[in-house]
Amino acid sequence: MDTDIKLRERNRGTTAARENQEGSSFDLTFSDLSYTVGKGETAKQILKQISGTFNSGKLTAIMGPSGAGKTSLMNILAGLKKNGIEGRVDVNGAERKFKTFRKQSAYITQQDHLLAHLSVEEYMLSAAHLKLGNEAPEKEKKLTIELIMKTLGLTNSLSTRVSCLSGGECKRLAIGLELIDNPAILFLDEPTSGLDSSSSLQCVAVLRDIAKTGRTVVATIHQPSTRLLDQFDQLYIVAGGSCMYQGPVNSLIPYLQSMNLRCPNHHNPADFAIDVASGEYGDVVFRLISGIENGRRIYQDNSSTSCVPSTSHDHEADEVDETEFMINSHLRTNKRGKNELSYGAPFHTQVAVLLRRTWCTIWREQILTTMRLTLHVCIAILIGLLYWQIGDDAHVIYNNAGMVFFNLIFILYAAMMPTFLTFNLEREVLVREHLNRWYSLKAYYLAKTLADIPFQIFFPTVYLIPVYLMTNQPLSIERFFMLWTIAICISLVGQGIGLFFGAAFDIPVASYFAPISCIPFLLVSGFMLKFEAIPSYLRWITYLSFLHYSFEGSMLSLYDGDRPPLSCSYSYCHFRYPIKFLELFDLSNSSYYLSVIGMMANFFVIRVAGYLVLRFKLRHVR
Ligand SMILES: Nc1ncnc2c1ncn2[C@@H]1O[C@H](COP(=O)(O)OP(=O)(O)OP(=O)(O)O)[C@@H](O)[C@H]1O
């Protein structure tokens, strides 16, 4: 077949991919695997001393009734779950090493979680830069992409944005992205879910072609049609956490027959097997599990002894494979160095690619970006009209302070709200890509922080200029620059809070807690309550309050620095001298620079907290 040849060529083709995979077709064997969740009385055993083998060059389907343990099994084999597991997982007879194994395998989740605003080509290119690194020449990356796109039938969709792709195309793209660095083992969780029958067939045919090139391809699958089932080479059926059948697809019915279970004519064998596994044909599951020795044997219909041990392949060949595997791993470790073993590209390339990709995504989120811009301009004009020309009038100086405080709250919330809403969705993309070793979390987080900075400068600037001029604040570049610095700091802090809550919680919880969490800091900002009025045992909150530092910094920008007396539109104005007004807020001895440092410290702490939460979340996914 044409695609088969191309994939084989590619398997031999690119140097980066070759380096990664040379001589490495991996047979995955697991023995006596148990998986338990919970502890003590609530402990639940999900997998029960299950064994099996998934061979290279074969497309294997894991089937079973809902809740049987298919996803749990695959997650354990893929190395995503590490706790509560007993038993052994071997690669070519040698115990699996997590770090190398995750570089050599790819996991394609049920939901595609792709960045909607990138085109197929842009996505593939960024994946190629991240996975193949700087060593692979540009031409080679393009060739790799071209071959994968041809194989997956996506050549005509190269310039289409992900948001415009069909479900089947998204699934194929998700597969294509993981094929770039030529993983030896592909795990797919329900690759056909949500696809119609022809897209499902197309998708599984692609997987079959991929398997034919020597890779080990394992997919969980729900109720496949007879045609779809025929595409698979091997079948592994899980029932209640045990293995009920393991062997070629066309040996399933003979195996069931050997246990006196006859599949009715014109009945889909997959449906029949699932019915049996669900207990609809009486208590035969135990016999089936024993017959296949809970996965220790592979059923073969064409031999006198109908079962062969699942680890029966040639022992000598095993040793050669194992040695080759060890040598290749060793070479890779030496060549790329300790750090780079896990990721295809060096840290700076990861940051650069992610930065470009994030900018592109933010820029193309046109509705959100346009709405944010419009909102900033509209609110600025409204504030300008409401507080028209009050900046130099001592009679309405309280109103001016109120306006300053409002500006801070607006900029804070305008930066925070969109961040946690968008980041929450992006988090799933991060989980998928990070687990497949595209990049490190540090690189992602740095790129995310850097990519947002221009926007956190742009929006407060667009807001502050009209407000400053319309409300007649002192016409001094220095004062404007000081106020502008504070506005940017508060915007960055707001974005950091959004990132933290977007990382920590799902949208409903984050949208409640993120705004509420700022209230204590708002209360001690110094605008609503003087420092002396705060009970001494609560004063420490003031030192943590980014709103305290930002209010302090803003007031000092406008009223400190020997500002001349204000005009007075009434017969008597108590606060004509700005210093007197600062004294009212206990700010006469405050330092603008300390306020900026306080803001910076808040920014840093919140960013680090966001990073730690994300790291915890990513570890928890496993
Ligand atoms: N962390 C957990 N805590 C408690 N129960 C769990 C946990 N993880 C999995 N389970 C349970 O283990 C069983 C197997 O789950 P798993 O997701 O592997 O099943 P599945 O065969 O993939 O099901 P489906 O086809 O419906 O996705 C289910 O009953 C599930 O509720």
Side-chain angles (χ1 to χ4, degrees), residues 112-354:
D112 298 321
H113 298 309
L114 297 165
L115 292 171
H117 298 288
L118 294 185
S119 73
V120 171
E121 190 174 21
E122 287 166 343
Y123 223 139
M124 289 295 287
L125 262 176
S126 67
H129 291 316
L130 289 166
K131 288 177 157 225
L132 303 181
N134 302 337
E135 284 169 31
E138 208 66 10
K139 221 172 126 192
E140 190 174 301
K141 288 176 188 165
K142 292 219 162 119
L143 183 73
T144 306
I145 292 172
E146 206 179 296
L147 281 174
I148 294 174
M149 292 290 94
K150 264 190 202 154
T151 310
L152 300 181
L154 284 173
T155 312
N156 292 333
S157 311
L158 276 175
S159 54
T160 311
R161 287 205 189 161
V162 171
S163 55
C164 303
L165 293 179
S166 70
E169 287 168 335
C170 279
K171 182 57 75 187
R172 279 180 278 149
L173 174 61
I175 296 170
L177 289 169
E178 299 310 335
L179 286 182
I180 280 182
D181 58 342
N182 206 7
I185 307 179
L186 267 185
F187 296 100
L188 299 106
D189 192 13
E190 301 191 18
T192 56
S193 82
L195 301 186
D196 59 31
S197 60
S198 86
S199 304
S200 298
L201 265 173
Q202 230 181 355
C203 178
V204 175
V206 164
L207 295 179
R208 192 184 161 89
D209 287 342
I210 293 168
K212 272 193 202 163
T213 62
R215 294 182 181 92
T216 311
V217 185
V218 184
T220 61
I221 197 123
H222 253 295
Q223 297 202 305
S225 65
T226 315
R227 272 182 76 197
L228 196 71
L229 192 64
D230 282 343
Q231 296 282 329
F232 287 89
D233 302 304
Q234 296 284 321
L235 202 53
Y236 189 94
I237 303 183
V238 187
S242 302
C243 173
M244 188 189 95
Y245 174 76
Q246 182 181 209
V249 171
N250 52 18
S251 297
L252 172 66
I253 295 297
Y255 178 64
L256 294 175
Q257 274 172 356
S258 74
M259 297 282 168
N260 294 328
L261 290 161
R262 297 207 174 273
C263 179
N265 284 346
H266 310 299
H267 205 90
N268 178 351
D271 289 346
F272 179 63
I274 299 294
D275 289 346
V276 171
S278 310
E280 284 189 24
Y281 286 80
D283 194 15
V284 288
V285 179
F286 183 71
R287 264 195 295 138
L288 291 165
I289 295 168
S290 307
I292 208 81
E293 292 186 20
N294 203 1
R296 254 172 244 113
R297 294 189 162 268
I298 297 172
Y299 184 75
Q300 304 249 317
D301 183 37
N302 51 3
S303 63
S304 49
T305 357
S306 50
C307 279
V308 292
S310 70
T311 51
S312 67
H313 45 275
D314 184 11
H315 191 65
E316 207 175 306
D318 229 15
E319 277 179 4
V320 173
D321 276 358
E322 196 182 324
T323 322
E324 240 174 23
F325 171 62
M326 303 291 270
I327 290 169
N328 282 323
S329 302
H330 179 69
L331 281 176
R332 277 193 295 275
T333 315
N334 282 346
K335 202 160 180 182
R336 294 186 177 185
K338 195 168 174 271
N339 260 350
E340 290 178 2
L341 176 70
S342 315
Y343 303 102
F347 184 79
H348 66 273
T349 308
Q350 293 176 34
V351 175
V353 174
L354 290 170

Side-chain angles (χ1 to χ4, degrees), residues 35 37 44 46 64-73 81 190 222:
Y35 173 49
V37 290
K44 182 176 173 189
I46 291 167
S66 180
K70 304 180 290 293
T71 307
S72 302
L73 174 63
K81 280 195 196 301
E190 301 191 18
H222 253 295

